[in-house]
Amino acid sequence: MVKYRQHKIRAVTYFFRNLWLLIIPVIRSLRNIKPDIDGILSWMRWAWPDIVMILLILGAGIVRWYCTYIITQGNKIIFAEGVFIRRRSVICDDYISCITLESGIFYRIAGAVSLRADMPGRHGKKAVKFVIRRKDLAEFDMTIKNSQLIYRSNWKSIFRYSLFFSNAFSGFSYIAVLIYHTGTLTLSEALGYFGFSPSVAVSIFALCWVLSFIRNMLIHINFKVHRVKSTYIVTSGLIFRKKAIFKEEDFIFFENVNGLVSNMAGYASMYASIRGHRQLLMPLIRVGKVPTSRYFRPRSIFAYIWKSVVLMLLLGVFTQNDYQIVVVWAVLLLIPAGWLLISDITSFRESGIGSESISYSSIYNFYTVFFNNRSIKKVRILSNPVQRMRKMYNAGLYLKNSGHYMTVRSGKFY
C-alpha cells in the first residue's frame, strides 16, 4: 500500500481559485498605499479584515490539499478527499476507462502533472482529478517505448484543424457588420456606445481568433497514437502536453465531428467514445458524403429551419427600432442567425439513420456516429399529431455512455 499526496502547487491553485472574492477590494486599497513603513502600517490598520480573509483562504487551500490523497493497494485505487465530510472512493483498475495526463508550462516547471481518471457514470461519465508529482507518476503512467506507432499527424493537418476549429473563427464574420448600415445609424456610431471604434473591434476579433488558433496548434501539434498490445496511448502538444491511455475493449463507438466550414471543405475530426470518455483519435481526416443507404431520412425542411427563420425575422424587426442600443444587438446577432440557417439547411440534407451510422446536428456542429447493435441502449420514436397525419417521426438513438439522444427530426422510414 502506497500513499500519494498532491503536488504542493495544487494548494496554490486552491488559493487563487477563491482569491477572486477579494481581488477587487484589495486592488482598490493597494492604490492608496504610500511607499513607506508608516503608509504600509496605516493601510494594514484599516485593511486587516481583507488580510485576515486572504490568510483564511490560503489556510483553507493548504488544509484541502493535505486532506486529498490517493492510496494504491493491489489492483485498487483509493481516492480520499474532504475536510469536514470525508469521502473515500475505492476504484478497481478494470473500472477505469481512460487515464489522461496533462501538463502546462507552469506544471512542467514545478514538476507536476494533472491526472484524470475517467469512469462510466450515471450521466455518461464521472472522473477523479489529481495533481501528482512527476516522480510519483510511474504508478499510473505507461511508457511508449517498444510500442507501435499507428498514426501520426503532420503539421499541415494540424494547421487546417486549427484553422477550422478555432473557437473565435466566427469573429471574422462579425467584421461584415462594420459595413452594415441600419438607417442613419452605422456600426461605427453604434460601437461608440460601448467605447469601441471599428478598428478596435476588428483588432479584438482578430486577436481572439489568432490566440485560439495558436492554442490549438500548441495543444495538437506532434499528435501521435501508439499501441502496446491492446492498449492505446495518444500523445500531443508542444508546450501544453497531453497523454491519454485507454484499452481497446473499452471502445463503444466512433464519431466524425465537423463544423459548417470544415463540412464544406470535406474534413472532420474523428473521436472515440470510451466508456464515459470522449477521446480525439485523428484531428483532421478527409470524409466522403453521407451514405445513401439511410433507412430513415428527414422529409420536412421546415422542422429544421423554422427557429433560425423566426430569429432572423425578429432581429429584422428590431433593426427598425428607434432604440439605438437594441439596433446594435440586433445587427450583431444577424450574422450568427444567418450562419445557423445555413447550418440547419445542411443538417436537413445530410441527417439520417443507417444500419451502422447516424448523422445529426447540434446548433453549428455536425456529427456522424458509427456503431454496432451492441452499442444501442435505447431507441425512441416520437410524433406529434401533425407528423402522424403526414406519417413522419422523430427518431432517436441512445448509445451506451453517449449521455444524450441522437435525434433525426421529421423523417420517414424507407
Side-chain angles (χ1 to χ4, degrees):
M1 183 175 68
V2 183
K3 184 176 182 179
Y4 298 97
R5 291 199 181 276
Q6 295 195 99
H7 194 283
K8 293 182 177 63
I9 196 174
R10 190 57 171 166
V12 178
T13 58
Y14 287 146
F15 169 66
F16 283 104
R17 181 180 299 175
N18 298 317
L19 187 63
W20 66 272
L21 297 170
L22 292 173
I23 196 68
I24 295 177
V26 168
I27 292 176
R28 188 186 298 118
S29 62
L30 288 175
R31 294 174 58 185
N32 300 321
I33 295 180
K34 295 180 179 180
D36 53 33
I37 299 298
D38 294 335
I40 295 175
L41 294 176
S42 176
W43 171 77
M44 292 180 63
R45 278 195 294 271
W46 65 267
W48 67 266
D50 293 339
I51 298 175
V52 171
M53 186 59 66
I54 290 176
L55 293 177
L56 288 176
I57 293 175
L58 177 60
I62 295 175
V63 172
R64 184 178 177 184
W65 163 82
Y66 182 80
C67 295
T68 304
Y69 54 86
I70 282 180
I71 299 175
T72 59
Q73 187 177 13
N75 64 340
K76 295 184 297 184
I77 298 176
I78 302 173
F79 177 71
E81 62 177 343
V83 179
F84 299 104
I85 300 176
R86 300 289 295 163
R87 292 183 296 272
R88 283 197 171 197
S89 302
V90 181
I91 308 167
C92 295
D93 290 346
D94 294 337
Y95 192 62
I96 298 176
S97 58
C98 180
I99 294 178
T100 305
L101 306 172
E102 296 180 334
S103 58
I105 184 169
F106 296 109
Y107 276 14
R108 289 171 59 189
I109 293 174
V113 178
S114 176
L115 184 148
R116 175 190 174 101
D118 287 278
M119 298 162 287
R122 181 180 177 185
H123 299 290
K125 66 178 181 180
K126 56 183 179 180
V128 170
K129 298 180 181 179
F130 197 82
V131 178
I132 194 170
R133 294 177 296 182
R134 185 174 295 276
K135 63 180 181 180
D136 296 334
L137 193 60
E139 183 74 23
F140 308 95
D141 195 7
M142 288 193 64
T143 180
I144 60 176
K145 294 180 180 179
N146 301 321
S147 61
Q148 178 186 4
L149 178 64
I150 60 175
Y151 175 78
R152 180 174 185 172
S153 182
N154 57 42
W155 70 269
K156 292 182 180 179
S157 62
I158 298 298
F159 179 86
R160 287 192 291 263
Y161 172 86
S162 303
L163 186 69
F164 291 140
F165 293 97
S166 293
N167 294 330
F169 192 86
S170 59
F172 279 98
S173 64
Y174 280 100
I175 298 176
V177 179
L178 296 174
I179 58 174
Y180 189 92
H181 295 265
T182 56
T184 59
L185 180 69
T186 64
L187 190 68
S188 304
E189 300 167 339
L191 290 173
Y193 289 94
F194 300 99
F196 291 112
S197 64
S199 59
V200 172
V202 173
S203 301
I204 289 175
F205 288 128
L207 179 62
C208 290
W209 184 87
V210 170
L211 291 176
S212 178
F213 176 84
I214 295 174
R215 180 179 180 274
N216 280 328
M217 286 287 294
L218 293 177
I219 290 177
H220 296 98
I221 199 169
N222 200 26
F223 190 95
K224 299 178 184 178
V225 181
H226 291 82
R227 182 174 180 176
V228 183
K229 296 181 180 179
S230 63
T231 301
Y232 289 84
I233 305 172
V234 179
T235 59
S236 64
L238 183 63
I239 297 177
F240 305 97
R241 294 183 179 177
K242 182 177 180 180
K243 179 187 291 186
I245 306 167
F246 48 89
K247 296 181 180 179
E248 185 176 5
E249 57 265 25
D250 292 329
F251 282 110
I252 303 297
F253 57 84
F254 298 90
E255 64 178 338
N256 291 339
V257 182
N258 53 17
L260 184 58
V261 176
S262 57
N263 182 280
M264 293 178 178
Y267 289 98
S269 296
M270 185 177 182
Y271 288 82
S273 177
I274 311 167
R275 285 205 309 149
H277 177 74
R278 189 166 175 261
Q279 175 61 44
L280 178 65
L281 288 184
M282 296 182 181
L284 204 68
I285 58 174
R286 274 284 188 180
V287 293
K289 295 185 178 297
V290 178
T292 56
S293 59
R294 293 174 291 170
Y295 63 79
F296 184 85
R297 288 179 289 177
R299 299 299 298 172
S300 174
I301 190 173
F302 180 76
Y304 282 78
I305 67 173
W306 71 269
K307 292 181 180 179
S308 54
V309 170
V310 170
L311 178 60
M312 293 191 67
L313 291 176
L314 290 175
L315 294 174
V317 172
F318 287 143
T319 55
Q320 309 303 320
N321 202 299
D322 293 333
Y323 297 100
Q324 293 177 331
I325 191 67
V326 175
V327 175
V328 171
W329 285 108
V331 172
L332 289 176
L333 292 175
L334 271 175
I335 299 297
W339 197 262
L340 180 62
L341 177 61
I342 300 175
S343 299
D344 291 338
I345 296 174
T346 305
S347 176
F348 169 76
R349 294 180 56 189
E350 298 187 358
S351 295
I353 302 177
S355 58
E356 295 181 346
S357 67
I358 176 173
S359 299
Y360 69 103
S361 66
S362 176
I363 308 180
Y364 296 109
N365 292 328
F366 304 93
Y367 303 88
T368 300
V369 179
F370 304 93
F371 58 88
N372 53 43
N373 294 334
R374 293 177 298 175
S375 303
I376 300 176
K377 190 174 182 179
K378 294 180 183 178
V379 177
R380 183 174 65 179
I381 299 176
L382 302 175
S383 62
N384 56 44
V386 177
Q387 288 177 327
R388 284 195 293 271
M389 292 174 59
R390 302 183 62 186
K391 296 183 179 180
M392 293 184 181
Y393 310 91
N394 297 329
L397 298 179
Y398 190 97
L399 304 181
K400 295 178 181 178
N401 296 307
S402 62
H404 63 280
Y405 278 97
M406 304 172 184
T407 304
V408 178
R409 303 187 300 273
S410 296
K412 288 185 177 182
F413 290 96
Y414 291 87

